[in-house]
Coordinates of all heavy atoms in Angstrom, one line a residue:
M1 N 8.9 -14.7 1.2 CA 10.0 -13.7 1.2 C 10.9 -13.9 2.5 O 10.4 -14.0 3.6 CB 9.3 -12.3 1.3 CG 10.4 -11.2 1.2 SD 9.5 -9.6 1.1 CE 8.5 -9.6 2.6
S2 N 12.1 -13.9 2.3 CA 13.0 -14.2 3.4 C 14.0 -13.0 3.7 O 14.5 -12.9 4.8 CB 13.9 -15.4 3.1 OG 14.6 -15.1 1.9
K3 N 14.0 -12.0 2.8 CA 15.0 -10.9 3.0 C 14.4 -9.6 2.5 O 13.9 -9.6 1.4 CB 16.3 -11.3 2.2 CG 17.5 -10.4 2.4 CD 18.7 -11.2 2.0 CE 19.9 -10.2 1.8 NZ 20.0 -9.5 0.5
C4 N 14.6 -8.6 3.2 CA 14.1 -7.3 2.8 C 14.9 -6.8 1.6 O 16.1 -6.8 1.6 CB 14.1 -6.3 4.0 SG 13.7 -4.6 3.5
E5 N 14.2 -6.3 0.6 CA 14.9 -5.8 -0.6 C 15.6 -4.5 -0.4 O 16.5 -4.1 -1.1 CB 13.9 -5.7 -1.8 CG 13.4 -7.0 -2.3 CD 12.4 -6.8 -3.4 OE1 12.3 -5.7 -3.9 OE2 11.7 -7.8 -3.8
V6 N 15.2 -3.8 0.6 CA 15.7 -2.5 0.9 C 16.9 -2.5 1.8 O 18.0 -2.0 1.5 CB 14.7 -1.5 1.5 CG1 15.3 -0.2 1.9 CG2 13.6 -1.3 0.5
C7 N 16.8 -3.2 3.0 CA 17.8 -3.2 4.0 C 18.5 -4.5 4.3 O 19.4 -4.6 5.0 CB 17.3 -2.6 5.3 SG 16.2 -3.6 6.2
G8 N 17.9 -5.6 3.7 CA 18.5 -6.9 3.9 C 18.1 -7.6 5.2 O 18.6 -8.7 5.5
N9 N 17.2 -7.0 6.0 CA 16.8 -7.6 7.2 C 15.9 -8.8 7.0 O 15.3 -9.0 6.0 CB 15.9 -6.5 8.0 CG 15.4 -7.0 9.3 OD1 16.0 -7.7 10.0 ND2 14.1 -6.6 9.5
H10 N 15.9 -9.7 7.9 CA 15.2 -11.0 7.8 C 14.0 -11.1 8.6 O 13.3 -12.1 8.6 CB 16.1 -12.2 8.1 CG 17.2 -12.3 7.1 ND1 17.1 -13.1 6.0 CD2 18.5 -11.8 7.1 CE1 18.2 -13.0 5.3 NE2 19.1 -12.2 5.9
K11 N 13.7 -10.0 9.4 CA 12.5 -10.1 10.3 C 11.4 -9.3 9.8 O 11.5 -8.1 9.4 CB 12.9 -9.7 11.7 CG 13.8 -10.6 12.4 CD 13.6 -10.5 13.9 CE 14.5 -11.6 14.7 NZ 15.9 -11.2 14.8
F12 N 10.2 -9.9 9.7 CA 9.0 -9.2 9.2 C 7.8 -9.4 10.1 O 7.8 -10.3 11.0 CB 8.7 -9.8 7.8 CG 9.8 -9.7 6.8 CD1 10.7 -10.7 6.6 CD2 9.9 -8.5 6.1 CE1 11.7 -10.6 5.7 CE2 10.9 -8.4 5.2 CZ 11.8 -9.4 5.0
R13 N 6.8 -8.6 9.8 CA 5.6 -8.7 10.6 C 4.4 -8.6 9.6 O 4.5 -7.7 8.7 CB 5.6 -7.6 11.6 CG 4.2 -7.3 12.3 CD 4.4 -6.3 13.4 NE 4.6 -5.0 12.8 CZ 5.2 -4.0 13.5 NH1 5.6 -4.1 14.8 NH2 5.3 -2.8 13.0
R14 N 3.4 -9.4 9.8 CA 2.2 -9.2 9.0 C 1.4 -8.1 9.6 O 1.1 -8.1 10.8 CB 1.4 -10.5 9.0 CG 2.1 -11.6 8.2 CD 2.2 -11.4 6.7 NE 0.9 -11.4 6.1 CZ 0.7 -11.2 4.8 NH1 1.7 -10.8 4.0 NH2 -0.5 -11.2 4.2
Q15 N 0.9 -7.2 8.8 CA 0.3 -6.0 9.3 C -0.6 -5.4 8.3 O -0.4 -5.5 7.1 CB 1.3 -5.0 9.7 CG 0.9 -3.8 10.5 CD 2.0 -2.8 10.8 OE1 3.1 -3.2 10.9 NE2 1.7 -1.5 10.8
E16 N -1.8 -4.8 8.7 CA -2.6 -4.1 7.8 C -2.0 -2.7 7.6 O -1.8 -2.0 8.6 CB -4.0 -4.0 8.3 CG -4.8 -5.3 8.1 CD -6.3 -5.1 8.2 OE1 -6.7 -4.0 8.6 OE2 -7.0 -6.1 8.0
V17 N -1.9 -2.2 6.4 CA -1.3 -0.9 6.1 C -2.2 -0.1 5.2 O -3.2 -0.6 4.7 CB 0.1 -1.0 5.5 CG1 1.0 -1.8 6.4 CG2 0.0 -1.6 4.1
E18 N -1.9 1.2 5.1 CA -2.6 2.0 4.1 C -1.5 2.5 3.1 O -0.4 2.7 3.5 CB -3.4 3.1 4.7 CG -2.6 4.0 5.6 CD -3.5 5.0 6.3 OE1 -4.6 4.7 6.6 OE2 -3.0 6.1 6.6
E19 N -1.9 2.7 1.9 CA -1.0 3.1 0.9 C -1.6 4.0 -0.1 O -2.8 3.9 -0.5 CB -0.5 1.8 0.2 CG 0.6 2.0 -0.8 CD 2.0 2.0 -0.2 OE1 2.1 2.0 1.0 OE2 3.0 2.0 -1.0
V20 N -0.9 5.0 -0.5 CA -1.4 6.0 -1.5 C -0.9 5.5 -2.9 O 0.3 5.3 -3.1 CB -0.9 7.4 -1.2 CG1 -1.3 8.4 -2.4 CG2 -1.5 7.9 0.1
F21 N -1.8 5.5 -3.8 CA -1.5 5.1 -5.2 C -1.8 6.3 -6.1 O -2.7 7.0 -5.9 CB -2.3 3.9 -5.7 CG -2.0 2.6 -4.9 CD1 -2.7 2.4 -3.7 CD2 -1.0 1.8 -5.2 CE1 -2.4 1.2 -2.9 CE2 -0.7 0.6 -4.5 CZ -1.4 0.4 -3.3
H22 N -1.0 6.4 -7.1 CA -1.2 7.5 -8.1 C -1.8 6.9 -9.4 O -1.1 6.1 -10.1 CB 0.2 8.1 -8.4 CG 0.1 9.4 -9.2 ND1 1.1 10.0 -9.9 CD2 -0.9 10.3 -9.3 CE1 0.8 11.1 -10.4 NE2 -0.5 11.3 -10.1
I23 N -3.0 7.2 -9.6 CA -3.8 6.5 -10.7 C -4.4 7.6 -11.6 O -5.2 8.4 -11.2 CB -4.9 5.7 -10.2 CG1 -4.5 4.7 -9.1 CG2 -5.7 4.9 -11.3 CD1 -3.8 3.5 -9.6
D24 N -4.0 7.6 -12.9 CA -4.6 8.5 -13.9 C -4.6 9.9 -13.4 O -5.6 10.6 -13.5 CB -6.0 8.0 -14.2 CG -6.0 6.6 -14.8 OD1 -5.0 6.2 -15.4 OD2 -7.1 5.9 -14.7
G25 N -3.5 10.4 -12.8 CA -3.4 11.8 -12.4 C -4.1 12.1 -11.1 O -4.2 13.3 -10.7
R26 N -4.6 11.1 -10.4 CA -5.1 11.4 -9.1 C -4.6 10.4 -8.1 O -4.0 9.4 -8.4 CB -6.7 11.3 -9.1 CG -7.2 10.0 -9.3 CD -8.6 10.0 -9.8 NE -9.0 8.6 -10.2 CZ -9.7 7.8 -9.5 NH1 -10.1 8.1 -8.3 NH2 -9.9 6.5 -9.9
Y27 N -4.7 10.8 -6.8 CA -4.1 10.0 -5.8 C -5.3 9.3 -5.0 O -6.3 9.9 -4.7 CB -3.3 10.9 -4.8 CG -2.1 11.4 -5.3 CD1 -2.0 12.6 -5.9 CD2 -0.9 10.6 -5.3 CE1 -0.8 13.1 -6.5 CE2 0.3 11.0 -5.9 CZ 0.3 12.3 -6.4 OH 1.5 12.8 -7.0
V28 N -5.1 8.0 -4.8 CA -6.1 7.3 -4.0 C -5.4 6.6 -2.9 O -4.3 6.1 -3.0 CB -6.9 6.3 -4.9 CG1 -7.7 7.0 -6.0 CG2 -6.0 5.3 -5.5
L29 N -6.2 6.5 -1.8 CA -5.7 5.9 -0.6 C -6.4 4.5 -0.4 O -7.6 4.5 -0.5 CB -5.9 6.8 0.6 CG -5.5 6.2 2.0 CD1 -4.0 6.1 2.1 CD2 -6.1 7.1 3.1
V30 N -5.7 3.5 -0.2 CA -6.3 2.2 0.0 C -6.0 1.8 1.5 O -4.8 1.8 1.9 CB -5.8 1.1 -0.9 CG1 -6.5 -0.2 -0.6 CG2 -6.1 1.5 -2.4
E31 N -7.0 1.5 2.3 CA -6.8 1.2 3.7 C -6.9 -0.3 3.9 O -7.4 -1.1 3.0 CB -7.9 1.8 4.5 CG -7.9 3.3 4.5 CD -9.0 3.9 5.3 OE1 -10.2 3.5 5.1 OE2 -8.7 4.7 6.2
H32 N -6.4 -0.8 5.0 CA -6.5 -2.2 5.4 C -5.9 -3.2 4.4 O -6.6 -4.2 4.1 CB -8.0 -2.5 5.7 CG -8.6 -1.5 6.6 ND1 -8.2 -1.3 7.9 CD2 -9.7 -0.7 6.5 CE1 -8.9 -0.3 8.5 NE2 -9.9 0.0 7.6
I33 N -4.8 -2.9 3.9 CA -4.1 -3.8 3.0 C -3.3 -4.7 3.8 O -2.4 -4.3 4.5 CB -3.2 -3.1 2.0 CG1 -4.0 -1.9 1.3 CG2 -2.7 -4.1 0.9 CD1 -3.0 -1.0 0.5
P34 N -3.5 -6.0 3.7 CA -2.6 -7.0 4.4 C -1.2 -6.9 3.7 O -1.0 -7.1 2.5 CB -3.2 -8.3 4.2 CG -4.1 -8.2 3.0 CD -4.5 -6.7 2.9
A35 N -0.2 -6.6 4.5 CA 1.2 -6.5 4.0 C 2.2 -7.2 4.9 O 1.9 -7.5 6.0 CB 1.5 -5.0 3.9
T36 N 3.3 -7.4 4.3 CA 4.5 -7.9 5.1 C 5.4 -6.6 5.3 O 5.8 -6.0 4.4 CB 5.2 -9.0 4.4 OG1 4.3 -10.0 4.1 CG2 6.3 -9.5 5.2
V37 N 5.6 -6.3 6.6 CA 6.4 -5.1 6.9 C 7.7 -5.4 7.5 O 7.8 -6.2 8.5 CB 5.6 -4.2 7.8 CG1 6.3 -2.9 8.1 CG2 4.2 -3.8 7.2
C38 N 8.8 -4.9 7.0 CA 10.1 -5.1 7.5 C 10.2 -4.4 8.9 O 9.8 -3.3 9.1 CB 11.1 -4.5 6.6 SG 12.8 -4.5 7.2
L39 N 10.7 -5.2 9.9 CA 10.8 -4.6 11.2 C 11.9 -3.6 11.3 O 11.9 -2.8 12.2 CB 11.0 -5.8 12.2 CG 9.9 -6.7 12.5 CD1 10.3 -7.8 13.5 CD2 8.7 -6.0 13.0
Q40 N 12.8 -3.6 10.4 CA 13.9 -2.7 10.5 C 13.7 -1.3 9.8 O 13.8 -0.3 10.4 CB 15.2 -3.3 10.0 CG 16.4 -2.5 10.2 CD 17.7 -3.4 10.1 OE1 18.0 -4.2 10.9 NE2 18.4 -3.2 9.0
C41 N 13.3 -1.4 8.6 CA 13.1 -0.2 7.8 C 11.7 0.2 7.5 O 11.4 1.3 6.9 CB 14.0 -0.2 6.5 SG 13.3 -1.3 5.2
G42 N 10.7 -0.7 7.7 CA 9.3 -0.4 7.5 C 8.9 -0.6 6.1 O 7.8 -0.3 5.7
E43 N 9.7 -1.1 5.2 CA 9.4 -1.4 3.8 C 8.1 -2.3 3.8 O 8.1 -3.4 4.5 CB 10.5 -2.1 3.1 CG 10.2 -2.6 1.7 CD 10.1 -1.5 0.7 OE1 10.2 -0.3 1.0 OE2 9.8 -1.8 -0.5
K44 N 7.1 -1.9 3.0 CA 5.9 -2.7 2.9 C 5.9 -3.5 1.6 O 6.2 -3.0 0.6 CB 4.7 -1.8 2.9 CG 4.5 -1.0 4.1 CD 3.4 0.0 4.0 CE 3.9 1.4 3.9 NZ 2.9 2.4 3.7
T45 N 5.6 -4.8 1.7 CA 5.5 -5.7 0.6 C 4.2 -6.4 0.5 O 3.7 -6.8 1.6 CB 6.6 -6.8 0.7 OG1 7.9 -6.1 0.9 CG2 6.7 -7.5 -0.7
F46 N 3.6 -6.4 -0.6 CA 2.3 -7.0 -0.8 C 2.5 -8.3 -1.6 O 3.3 -8.3 -2.6 CB 1.3 -6.1 -1.6 CG 1.2 -4.8 -1.0 CD1 1.4 -3.6 -1.7 CD2 0.8 -4.6 0.3 CE1 1.3 -2.4 -1.2 CE2 0.7 -3.3 0.9 CZ 1.0 -2.2 0.1
D47 N 1.8 -9.4 -1.3 CA 2.0 -10.6 -2.1 C 1.3 -10.4 -3.4 O 0.5 -9.4 -3.6 CB 1.6 -11.8 -1.4 CG 0.1 -11.8 -0.9 OD1 -0.7 -11.3 -1.7 OD2 -0.2 -12.4 0.1
A48 N 1.5 -11.2 -4.4 CA 1.0 -11.1 -5.7 C -0.5 -11.0 -5.8 O -1.1 -10.2 -6.5 CB 1.5 -12.2 -6.6
E49 N -1.1 -11.8 -5.0 CA -2.6 -11.9 -4.9 C -3.2 -10.6 -4.4 O -4.1 -10.1 -5.0 CB -3.0 -13.1 -4.0 CG -4.4 -13.5 -4.2 CD -4.7 -14.6 -3.2 OE1 -3.9 -15.6 -3.1 OE2 -5.7 -14.6 -2.5
T50 N -2.5 -10.0 -3.4 CA -3.0 -8.8 -2.8 C -2.8 -7.6 -3.8 O -3.7 -6.8 -4.0 CB -2.2 -8.4 -1.5 OG1 -2.4 -9.5 -0.6 CG2 -2.7 -7.1 -0.9
A51 N -1.6 -7.6 -4.5 CA -1.3 -6.6 -5.5 C -2.4 -6.6 -6.6 O -2.8 -5.6 -7.1 CB 0.1 -6.8 -6.0
E52 N -2.7 -7.8 -7.0 CA -3.7 -8.0 -8.1 C -5.1 -7.5 -7.6 O -5.8 -6.8 -8.4 CB -3.8 -9.5 -8.5 CG -4.9 -9.8 -9.5 CD -4.7 -9.0 -10.9 OE1 -3.6 -8.5 -11.1 OE2 -5.7 -8.9 -11.6
S53 N -5.4 -7.8 -6.4 CA -6.7 -7.3 -5.8 C -6.8 -5.8 -5.8 O -7.8 -5.2 -6.1 CB -6.9 -7.9 -4.4 OG -7.0 -9.2 -4.4
I54 N -5.6 -5.2 -5.4 CA -5.6 -3.7 -5.4 C -5.8 -3.1 -6.8 O -6.5 -2.2 -7.0 CB -4.2 -3.2 -4.8 CG1 -4.1 -3.6 -3.3 CG2 -4.1 -1.7 -5.0 CD1 -2.7 -3.5 -2.7
R55 N -5.1 -3.8 -7.7 CA -5.2 -3.3 -9.1 C -6.6 -3.4 -9.6 O -7.1 -2.4 -10.2 CB -4.3 -4.2 -10.0 CG -3.9 -3.5 -11.3 CD -3.3 -4.6 -12.3 NE -4.2 -5.6 -12.6 CZ -5.2 -5.5 -13.5 NH1 -5.5 -4.4 -14.1 NH2 -6.0 -6.5 -13.7
R56 N -7.3 -4.5 -9.3 CA -8.7 -4.6 -9.7 C -9.6 -3.6 -9.0 O -10.5 -3.1 -9.6 CB -9.2 -6.0 -9.5 CG -9.1 -6.9 -10.7 CD -9.6 -8.3 -10.4 NE -8.6 -9.0 -9.6 CZ -8.9 -10.0 -8.7 NH1 -10.1 -10.3 -8.5 NH2 -8.0 -10.5 -8.0
L57 N -9.3 -3.4 -7.8 CA -10.1 -2.4 -7.0 C -10.0 -1.0 -7.6 O -11.0 -0.3 -7.7 CB -9.5 -2.4 -5.5 CG -10.3 -1.6 -4.5 CD1 -11.7 -2.2 -4.2 CD2 -9.5 -1.6 -3.2
L58 N -8.8 -0.6 -8.0 CA -8.5 0.7 -8.4 C -8.9 1.0 -9.9 O -9.3 2.1 -10.2 CB -7.0 1.1 -8.2 CG -6.5 1.1 -6.8 CD1 -5.1 1.5 -6.8 CD2 -7.4 2.0 -5.9
H59 N -8.9 -0.1 -10.7 CA -9.2 0.1 -12.1 C -10.6 -0.4 -12.4 O -11.0 -0.3 -13.6 CB -8.1 -0.6 -12.9 CG -6.8 0.0 -12.9 ND1 -6.5 1.1 -13.6 CD2 -5.7 -0.2 -12.1 CE1 -5.2 1.5 -13.3 NE2 -4.8 0.7 -12.4
G60 N -11.3 -0.9 -11.5 CA -12.7 -1.4 -11.7 C -13.7 -0.3 -11.6 O -13.3 0.9 -11.6
Q61 N -14.9 -0.6 -11.4 CA -16.0 0.4 -11.3 C -16.3 0.7 -9.9 O -17.4 1.3 -9.6 CB -17.2 -0.2 -12.1 CG -17.0 -0.4 -13.5 CD -16.6 0.8 -14.3 OE1 -17.2 1.9 -14.1 NE2 -15.5 0.7 -15.1
N62 N -15.5 0.3 -9.0 CA -15.8 0.5 -7.6 C -15.8 1.9 -7.2 O -15.0 2.7 -7.6 CB -14.8 -0.2 -6.7 CG -14.7 -1.7 -7.0 OD1 -15.6 -2.5 -6.7 ND2 -13.6 -2.1 -7.7
K63 N -16.8 2.3 -6.4 CA -16.8 3.6 -5.8 C -16.0 3.7 -4.5 O -16.1 2.7 -3.7 CB -18.3 4.0 -5.5 CG -19.1 4.3 -6.8 CD -19.2 5.8 -7.1 CE -20.0 6.1 -8.3 NZ -19.5 5.5 -9.5
P64 N -15.3 4.7 -4.3 CA -14.5 4.8 -3.1 C -15.5 4.8 -1.9 O -16.6 5.3 -2.0 CB -13.8 6.1 -3.2 CG -13.9 6.6 -4.5 CD -15.1 5.9 -5.2
Q65 N -15.0 4.4 -0.8 CA -15.8 4.4 0.4 C -16.1 5.8 0.9 O -17.2 6.1 1.4 CB -15.1 3.6 1.5 CG -15.9 2.4 2.1 CD -15.0 1.6 3.0 OE1 -14.0 2.0 3.5 NE2 -15.5 0.5 3.4
R66 N -15.1 6.6 0.9 CA -15.3 8.0 1.3 C -14.1 8.8 0.6 O -13.2 8.2 0.1 CB -15.2 8.1 2.8 CG -13.9 7.5 3.4 CD -14.0 7.4 4.9 NE -12.9 6.6 5.5 CZ -11.7 7.1 5.8 NH1 -11.5 8.4 5.6 NH2 -10.8 6.4 6.2
S67 N -14.3 10.1 0.8 CA -13.2 11.0 0.2 C -12.6 11.8 1.3 O -13.2 12.1 2.4 CB -13.8 12.0 -0.8 OG -14.3 11.3 -1.9
T68 N -11.4 12.2 1.1 CA -10.7 13.0 2.1 C -9.8 14.0 1.4 O -9.6 13.9 0.2 CB -9.9 12.1 3.1 OG1 -9.4 13.0 4.1 CG2 -8.7 11.5 2.3
V69 N -9.4 15.0 2.1 CA -8.5 16.0 1.4 C -7.1 15.6 1.7 O -6.7 15.2 2.8 CB -8.7 17.4 2.1 CG1 -7.8 18.4 1.5 CG2 -10.2 17.9 1.8
L70 N -6.3 15.7 0.6 CA -4.9 15.3 0.7 C -4.1 16.6 0.7 O -4.1 17.4 -0.3 CB -4.5 14.4 -0.5 CG -3.1 13.9 -0.5 CD1 -2.8 12.9 0.6 CD2 -2.8 13.2 -1.8
E71 N -3.3 16.8 1.7 CA -2.5 18.0 1.8 C -1.1 17.6 1.3 O -0.5 16.6 1.7 CB -2.5 18.6 3.2 CG -3.9 19.0 3.6 CD -3.9 19.7 5.0 OE1 -2.9 19.5 5.7 OE2 -4.8 20.4 5.2
V72 N -0.5 18.5 0.4 CA 0.7 18.1 -0.2 C 1.8 19.2 0.2 O 1.6 20.4 0.0 CB 0.6 18.1 -1.7 CG1 1.9 17.7 -2.4 CG2 -0.5 17.1 -2.1
F73 N 2.9 18.7 0.7 CA 4.0 19.6 1.0 C 5.1 19.3 0.0 O 5.4 18.2 -0.4 CB 4.5 19.4 2.4 CG 3.6 19.8 3.4 CD1 2.6 18.9 3.9 CD2 3.6 21.1 4.0 CE1 1.7 19.3 4.9 CE2 2.8 21.4 5.0 CZ 1.8 20.6 5.5
A74 N 5.8 20.4 -0.4 CA 7.0 20.2 -1.2 C 8.2 20.3 -0.2 O 8.3 21.1 0.6 CB 7.2 21.3 -2.3
F75 N 9.1 19.4 -0.4 CA 10.3 19.4 0.5 C 11.4 20.3 -0.1 O 11.7 20.2 -1.2 CB 10.8 17.9 0.6 CG 12.0 17.8 1.5 CD1 11.8 17.9 2.9 CD2 13.3 17.6 1.0 CE1 12.9 17.8 3.8 CE2 14.4 17.5 1.9 CZ 14.2 17.6 3.3
Ligands
LIG1 ZN1 14.0 -3.5 5.5

């Protein structure tokens, strides 16, 4: 990837991130995902292999490591 799809910036950083996914009516948080993060706008991009691993993780029989309460605000 050479250019941010959101802001057009060319500088990125490899970083572990966390991301909330909406799966079958519930929200799940995945931690420690290796991502490429835009230095300008913070847009997170996962490579195809990582995205596939996340998909398998969320749709497989894996038990979550732990549970937490998600607080939701309406803007
Ligand atoms: Zn950007």
